[in-house]
Amino acid sequence: SKSVRSIPSSSTLSCAIGQSARPPPHPRTRTQETKSYAPEPSKNPHPIPIPRPSRSVYRRRGSSQELRGGGAIRSGRRPRRNQSEEPAIAVMEGGMGGGGGQQELSADNVRGIVLALLSSGFIGSSFIIKKKGLRRAAVSSGISAGVGGHSYLLEPLWWVGMITMIVGEIANFVAYAFAPAVLVTPLGALSIIVSAVLAHFILNERLHALGVLGCVMCIAGSMVIVIHAPLEQEITSVKEIWHMATQPSFLLYVASVIVLVSVLVFHFSPLWGQSNVLIYTAICSLMGSLSVMSVKALGTSLKLTFEGTNQLAYPETWFFMLVVAICVLTQMNYLNKALDTFNTAVVSPIYYVMFTSLTILASIIMFKDWSGQSLGSITSEICGLIVVLSGTILLHVTKDYERIPQSRSM
């Protein structure tokens, strides 16, 4: 009987030969078999580790940048993202007009906004500094600049104002290299606000209630434009800009501008240039839209050159530089004629409205600034532009309200 009890049970034999069904063990060996087949986990000093899925499985839903660099993922470190590809500031979530998603300002847009704001501050301050220098020169010499005096050239304060204006124009030039013209051009209205506020406190030129309302409108419209501004396109060569400038739609716009300017210069200007303010301002605005496009192309080329990609070897860069010189000289010539013939309070708002509208139109045609934007964002930009233009007109009209009869009639 003892030899019989030492024989293994039928269940042990069935596991050894690989049978799928195992009969119940002998009653006397149930406890022993249970301990051998299913040991308690708490008494096992070396538990079997459960394999975990790879970290790349969890990151597969992320951006493609997180799947680059397998070594960083295998070691458990998050790979470093390219700063030029990631957005700098998130502005608004949800979108409007069915666009959805998240609308963001890129790092280049932020640089463009900062440069445009600095440009407005410098240019607005330069008007006050130069006017203060003109007053000092007129008091010291007894001859004002309005009657042909040039004593202001010996006044250091006037030169400080001129240097301030040059710095502001350089900042504005660089801003076009980082941000689209749809964003940079309307922000130029802030220079009028700076000039009006400083004139109120420094030159004792009264700012009326409607002028304050115009300032608030310019600020509110500029904020709307900044919030809904399109992202700047990433350009790697001046060849890309040349391709944009030679597309049929923009060539049609350039041809239309050349024809209109030629008709205004050679036909309408000799007949009604001294009596109609729209002729000179239209010439300035049309040429100004082309000059801004050329300035943006030239500024982008110089930015790429400073970053290490030489663009001065391409003839397109020098062509854009020639176009900038021609357009700016023509624009300044007819702007001076308009200011000499008509009152500044009338010329400035008309010129600003026409110049801003035509520049934004040219930028939309050439750089496709509105491609990829939702209808709500485009509508918001247009509404913001209308508010800025309205505030600019209101500020200019009420700036000399007490002195100029035309302003009261308007």
Side-chain angles (χ1 to χ4, degrees):
S1 62
K2 290 183 180 180
S3 61
V4 172
R5 289 191 187 97
S6 63
I7 298 175
S9 63
S10 61
S11 61
T12 305
L13 295 175
S14 63
C15 291
I17 64 177
Q19 295 180 358
S20 59
R22 186 177 70 225
H26 195 271
R28 296 182 180 179
T29 59
R30 180 180 299 274
T31 304
Q32 182 179 0
E33 291 176 355
T34 303
K35 290 183 180 180
S36 61
Y37 283 105
E40 295 181 3
S42 59
K43 296 181 180 180
N44 191 0
H46 301 288
I48 300 175
I50 300 175
R52 299 182 63 181
S54 174
R55 297 176 64 91
S56 61
V57 175
Y58 295 107
R59 302 193 180 195
R60 192 165 297 169
R61 295 183 180 180
S63 62
S64 60
Q65 297 173 355
E66 296 184 0
L67 298 178
R68 300 173 186 172
I73 294 178
R74 286 192 297 268
S75 61
R77 299 191 304 270
R78 185 182 181 89
R80 184 175 300 175
R81 299 180 63 183
N82 190 359
Q83 295 180 358
S84 61
E85 297 179 0
E86 65 180 1
I89 299 177
V91 177
M92 183 183 65
E93 294 182 355
M96 298 178 62
Q102 185 178 15
Q103 186 172 350
E104 298 168 342
L105 283 177
S106 64
D108 285 345
N109 274 20
V110 173
R111 296 187 187 101
I113 293 172
V114 173
L115 289 170
L117 294 177
L118 291 176
S119 173
S120 299
F122 280 112
I123 293 175
S125 303
S126 67
F127 289 118
I128 306 304
I129 298 174
K130 288 196 298 183
K131 193 166 186 178
K132 196 77 172 177
L134 291 173
R135 288 184 178 182
R136 286 188 181 182
V139 170
S140 61
S141 63
I143 302 175
S144 63
V147 296
H150 298 283
S151 59
Y152 61 89
L153 296 175
L154 302 177
E155 178 60 42
L157 190 60
W158 184 87
W159 284 106
V160 172
M162 181 59 66
I163 294 173
T164 305
M165 175 173 284
I166 293 174
V167 172
E169 293 294 344
I170 293 175
N172 190 45
F173 173 82
V174 180
Y176 280 110
F178 289 99
V182 178
L183 176 59
V184 176
T185 304
L187 293 180
L190 300 179
S191 63
I192 304 172
I193 299 176
V194 174
S195 177
V197 172
L198 292 180
H200 178 80
F201 292 102
I202 297 177
L203 302 178
N204 296 324
E205 295 180 0
R206 184 181 176 186
L207 185 62
H208 298 274
L210 290 178
V212 176
L213 178 60
C215 295
V216 174
M217 293 173 64
C218 290
I219 296 174
S222 300
M223 291 178 62
V224 172
I225 294 174
V226 169
I227 291 174
H228 299 278
L231 297 178
E232 176 70 359
Q233 299 181 15
E234 185 178 357
I235 299 175
T236 59
S237 174
V238 71
K239 294 288 186 179
E240 299 181 17
I241 307 177
W242 181 257
H243 177 72
M244 297 176 186
T246 55
Q247 56 186 329
S249 57
F250 188 72
L251 289 178
L252 179 62
Y253 176 80
V254 173
S256 303
V257 168
I258 294 175
V259 171
L260 288 175
V261 169
S262 301
V263 172
L264 290 173
V265 169
F266 296 106
H267 180 70
F268 289 99
S269 179
L271 297 177
W272 298 290
Q274 299 295 320
S275 59
N276 194 333
V277 68
L278 294 178
I279 295 177
Y280 289 152
T281 53
I283 296 173
C284 298
S285 302
L286 289 169
M287 297 301 294
S289 64
L290 296 183
S291 66
V292 170
M293 297 301 101
S294 303
V295 163
K296 183 172 178 59
L298 181 60
T300 305
S301 302
L302 295 178
K303 183 186 74 170
L304 293 174
T305 301
F306 291 144
E307 290 177 352
T309 307
N310 186 16
Q311 303 296 315
L312 299 178
Y314 297 102
E316 290 83 358
T317 302
W318 299 99
F319 176 79
F320 285 128
M321 189 178 300
L322 178 62
V323 173
V324 168
I326 295 174
C327 293
V328 169
L329 290 177
T330 306
Q331 180 183 358
M332 291 297 102
N333 180 33
Y334 284 93
L335 181 59
N336 291 330
K337 287 185 177 181
L339 293 175
D340 290 339
T341 306
F342 305 97
N343 193 278
T344 306
V346 179
V347 174
S348 297
I350 295 176
Y351 169 67
Y352 180 78
V353 170
M354 296 179 66
F355 168 73
T356 304
S357 303
L358 290 173
T359 300
I360 291 177
L361 176 62
S363 180
I364 292 171
I365 296 174
M366 179 175 175
F367 292 98
K368 302 294 188 296
D369 291 330
W370 283 352
S371 62
Q373 281 197 297
S374 63
L375 180 61
S377 298
I378 297 175
T379 305
S380 300
E381 291 177 32
I382 295 175
C383 293
L385 177 62
I386 293 174
V387 172
V388 170
L389 298 180
S390 303
T392 304
I393 295 174
L394 187 62
L395 183 59
H396 271 290
V397 168
T398 58
K399 186 170 61 175
D400 298 326
Y401 181 79
E402 294 180 349
R403 293 194 300 107
I404 303 172
Q406 294 98 331
S407 297
R408 293 198 295 269
S409 63
M410 290 175 66

